[in-house]
Amino acid sequence: MHSFAAAGAAFLLAVLWFDLMFDVQTRRHSTGPLPPQVLASISSYYRRVTTEAYPMNRLVALVMVLTLAAIIAEIVEGETPWWIGWGSLVIAGSGFGPTLTRTVPNARRLGRAEDTPEEQSRLARAIYRAHLQSFVRMSLVLGLQLIAS
């Protein structure tokens, strides 16, 4: 099962990498509203990936669920040290909930580009921070799963 969990973590890392390629534009502008061209770039990306990419945009949530299922199956099978399975479950699970309840809705909202530049800038920065945290989490999960192999 660790191979399936590792594959899921690797897929999610790849998705996060693409997100971060747009999110990183916020780093150069740490205060105040982001420049219009930066907001346009980030919001158009999130419009494409959260709404216009239907049904493929559902794949990320499916991979999250399947990755958790693979980690749970790994724990039940008991073929790896307990700390690998439980550590992976805690790390991945602690990120998937906020991603689905906060980060994805924020990305959809940013993709609509209906808010003020200040609010869009706040959303873009929040998404960037969330994606950085998720990247670290999924890197840890992948590392744990690779130790298991």
Side-chain angles (χ1 to χ4, degrees):
M1 277 297 133
H2 64 274
S3 295
F4 291 108
F11 173 85
L12 294 169
L13 277 170
V15 170
L16 286 162
W17 183 260
F18 280 99
D19 291 344
L20 284 166
M21 284 195 293
F22 287 87
D23 297 339
V24 76
Q25 295 175 82
T26 65
R27 287 185 51 203
R28 292 190 178 169
H29 313 280
S30 59
T31 61
L34 294 169
Q37 68 273 18
V38 170
L39 283 176
S41 173
I42 297 171
S43 68
S44 65
Y45 170 73
Y46 283 114
R47 183 180 58 254
R48 280 192 302 278
V49 299
T50 63
T51 56
E52 294 174 358
Y54 181 83
M56 292 306 293
N57 58 357
R58 304 288 193 248
L59 182 61
V60 174
L62 176 63
V63 172
M64 287 179 184
V65 170
L66 293 175
T67 301
L68 283 179
I71 293 169
I72 291 168
E74 177 182 310
I75 292 168
V76 170
E77 288 176 355
E79 294 180 9
T80 58
W82 68 269
W83 54 272
I84 290 177
W86 284 104
S88 295
L89 185 63
V90 167
I91 295 167
S94 70
F96 292 167
T99 295
L100 297 173
T101 61
R102 190 174 43 241
T103 308
V104 171
N106 283 348
R108 284 189 183 126
R109 184 173 166 188
L110 183 59
R112 288 192 297 272
E114 297 172 348
D115 292 302
T116 65
E118 291 80 14
E119 181 61 14
Q120 289 181 56
S121 298
R122 186 193 68 76
L123 290 168
R125 289 181 178 112
I127 292 166
Y128 173 57
R129 285 189 304 274
H131 282 153
L132 279 178
Q133 293 166 355
S134 293
F135 195 87
V136 169
R137 278 190 200 97
M138 293 318 304
S139 296
L140 290 171
V141 170
L142 180 58
L144 286 170
Q145 294 303 312
L146 291 175
I147 290 170
S149 56

